[in-house]
Amino acid sequence: MRRAALTAALTAVAALTAATACTEDVTAPGHCPDFCPSGSINGVDTVLQTVVQRDSAFRGFVRPHEASSLLAATLPGVIDSRAIFRTIPIGDSLVVESSTATMGEIVGVDSLRLALTITRRDTSAHNLTLVYYRLPLGIDSTTTFGGLAGSWTDSLRSLNVDSVYALAGHVDRGDSVFVDTTTHYVTVIAKLDSAMAPFVPGDSGKVAFGVRVVADSRASVALGSVESGLGPRITWYAEVDSVGKDTVPRPASTSDQFDSFVFNLVSPAVDTTLDSTLAVGGMPVARSIMRFALPRAIRDSVQISRATLVLVTARPPEGVPADSFTLAAHGVLADFGAKSPLSPDASRVATTRVHIGIARGDTVRIEMTDILRSWQIDTLAPTTLALRQVPEGTEFPEIRFEPSTNTGLAPALHVTYVRRFPFGKP
């Protein structure tokens, strides 16, 4: 009897529990407004016309003798630029017997081979030709185009790069042209005889040369410099007194000790003086510093979807298509004006390609969403950008943009964003 009564009681409790228990159907949808936040997601698209409040341009970041390229261009009515360099001396004697390290005095030269590396060229230019000049040994970073006027009057020789490369084996009586299929660099080796490049014992074989480039049209190249590790190289074929016997030609290689380039600006549009515009590139290299005053709501209270810096050209770059360059908006670690150190953070660098041929009044746009987002994360970071060429000192053209003081054409920031969404039950 007791067992039957206990069983009946437990059955009743179970039935009551089943009737009052809370169950959940995980396949059923949620019921608003119990589970849906209030409001809606609204995107905002706006152009901030006065966001850049202070800007300025500075020149001198890379000078010709510091550049990684030696810029040579002959663009009639625009510019005449020529590479110059001076070699390391080879001394007054060479080894004539390697096993005994016997030295022989250099008594003359048979010839030399001068190797130059073309790192950039306009492939549409035809009959590309290098013209060689002998220069005084005193060339240095202060040497100017006009200061070498006397040296430009008489060339040593010229070498048609296209003609030599078209020959079987790309060789023509001591001259040769080779193209690296990976880098597309062109190595040009020119032979100069003893009349063109005599060995002067007092100078220990130190020589200085200038190189001009010409073509049917649009002659513009960049030659490797000592800073890039691709500077001019010379191999002397010196005549050495071999232990009092007949002279024997011995090769002796050397590199350049100093290199640079000098130029004569013809067009006022490439004048290197700075005005109120924002200059970028050119030579000596210019940068422009831009300081942003972002509204607090955008910096602190929105999710940025896209941000584009819009610049209006005040003066277009001049040159050939091969002179097109990369323009970078680079965040800085601290705002010290011209001496502002650039941030190493890749998220604070935005780039675009500037093409030769754009006109005055055209716009250049740089997508800088990551930069604005980084400013939101690091509220102590300066909201300052350096407009610069990448890499600097490898292209001659410069571009200039309208400054913030030019109402209506000032730099603007096109921003698309959404406001913070109020998640949670109302």
Side-chain angles (χ1 to χ4, degrees):
M1 290 293 294
R2 292 181 179 178
R3 180 175 297 179
L6 178 61
T7 301
L10 292 176
T11 301
V13 171
L16 178 63
T17 301
T20 59
C22 179
T23 62
E24 180 179 2
D25 185 355
V26 296
T27 64
H31 298 284
C32 288
D34 293 337
F35 297 101
C36 296
S38 61
S40 59
I41 298 177
N42 295 317
V44 179
D45 191 78
T46 184
V47 177
L48 305 176
Q49 296 283 4
T50 60
V51 68
V52 178
Q53 297 190 350
R54 292 186 300 146
D55 50 34
S56 51
F58 306 91
R59 192 179 294 283
F61 290 92
V62 178
R63 293 174 292 176
H65 68 281
E66 300 169 330
S68 59
S69 296
L70 307 179
L71 305 182
T74 305
L75 303 177
V78 180
I79 189 172
D80 188 352
S81 178
R82 306 180 185 188
I84 63 173
F85 54 92
R86 183 181 64 246
T87 67
I88 298 172
I90 62 172
D92 57 5
S93 59
L94 294 175
V95 174
V96 294
E97 179 56 54
S98 58
S99 61
T100 60
T102 302
M103 304 293 293
E105 181 183 358
I106 297 176
V107 295
V109 294
D110 173 74
S111 60
L112 65 79
R113 301 292 191 277
L114 171 57
L116 301 174
T117 301
I118 300 176
T119 59
R120 174 189 55 76
R121 71 191 191 281
D122 186 351
T123 55
S124 65
H126 300 291
N127 284 319
L128 183 68
T129 301
L130 301 183
V131 184
Y132 300 86
Y133 300 85
R134 187 71 178 265
L135 301 183
L137 297 179
I139 58 173
D140 57 23
S141 59
T142 64
T143 300
T144 63
F145 188 95
L148 295 173
S151 300
W152 303 134
T153 58
D154 188 21
S155 63
L156 295 175
R157 62 156 302 186
S158 61
L159 188 157
N160 189 308
V161 178
D162 292 344
S163 296
V164 174
Y165 187 71
L167 297 175
H170 317 307
V171 176
D172 180 27
R173 294 175 296 181
D175 300 331
S176 55
V177 175
F178 304 99
V179 178
D180 189 305
T181 57
T182 302
T183 63
H184 304 293
Y185 291 169
V186 180
T187 300
V188 181
I189 301 177
K191 178 182 178 180
L192 303 178
D193 60 30
S194 58
M196 301 174 185
F199 181 87
V200 180
D203 298 330
S204 299
K206 184 166 57 176
V207 290
F209 294 104
V211 178
R212 180 187 180 210
V213 60
V214 295
D216 290 347
S217 64
R218 304 190 305 184
S220 178
V221 301
L223 303 174
S225 70
V226 65
E227 285 77 12
S228 67
L230 298 171
R233 303 173 303 282
I234 285 183
T235 299
W236 284 99
Y237 288 87
E239 296 176 344
V240 180
D241 187 350
S242 181
V243 196
K245 299 180 180 179
D246 295 336
T247 57
V248 179
R250 300 281 180 177
S253 298
T254 185
S255 59
D256 64 323
Q257 184 180 46
F258 166 83
D259 54 29
S260 182
F261 57 93
V262 293
F263 49 87
N264 179 34
L265 297 174
V266 182
S267 172
V270 289
D271 186 3
T272 59
T273 59
L274 290 176
D275 50 23
S276 61
T277 57
L278 304 180
V280 181
M283 185 58 67
V285 172
R287 291 182 190 174
S288 288
I289 303 298
M290 308 175 64
R291 301 170 179 88
F292 290 74
L294 295 174
R296 181 179 294 274
I298 288 183
R299 183 160 183 175
D300 300 337
S301 306
V302 302
Q303 177 66 43
I304 296 174
S305 302
R306 186 176 185 181
T308 306
L309 178 62
V310 182
L311 302 165
V312 179
T313 57
R315 184 183 297 171
E318 292 194 19
V320 300
D323 293 335
S324 299
F325 59 90
T326 298
L327 173 68
H330 204 137
V332 302
L333 292 175
D335 187 352
F336 297 132
K339 296 184 179 180
S340 299
L342 302 177
S343 173
D345 187 350
S347 68
R348 298 187 183 181
V349 182
T351 62
T352 191
R353 191 72 179 170
V354 173
H355 296 280
I356 304 301
I358 62 174
R360 179 178 181 178
D362 284 351
T363 56
V364 174
R365 291 175 169 82
I366 306 178
E367 300 297 329
M368 48 180 290
T369 306
D370 288 343
I371 294 179
L372 258 67
R373 288 175 178 172
S374 72
W375 287 346
Q376 287 183 312
I377 296 171
D378 185 0
T379 58
L380 297 179
T383 53
T384 302
L385 292 180
L387 288 181
R388 58 189 291 259
Q389 190 183 78
V390 179
E392 291 178 309
T394 59
E395 310 288 349
F396 199 88
E398 77 175 32
I399 191 169
R400 299 196 185 191
F401 299 106
E402 296 290 354
S404 59
T405 55
N406 189 343
T407 306
L409 297 177
L413 193 60
H414 186 179
V415 183
T416 303
Y417 63 89
V418 294
R419 295 183 177 89
R420 304 292 185 186
F421 198 80
F423 288 101
K425 184 175 180 180

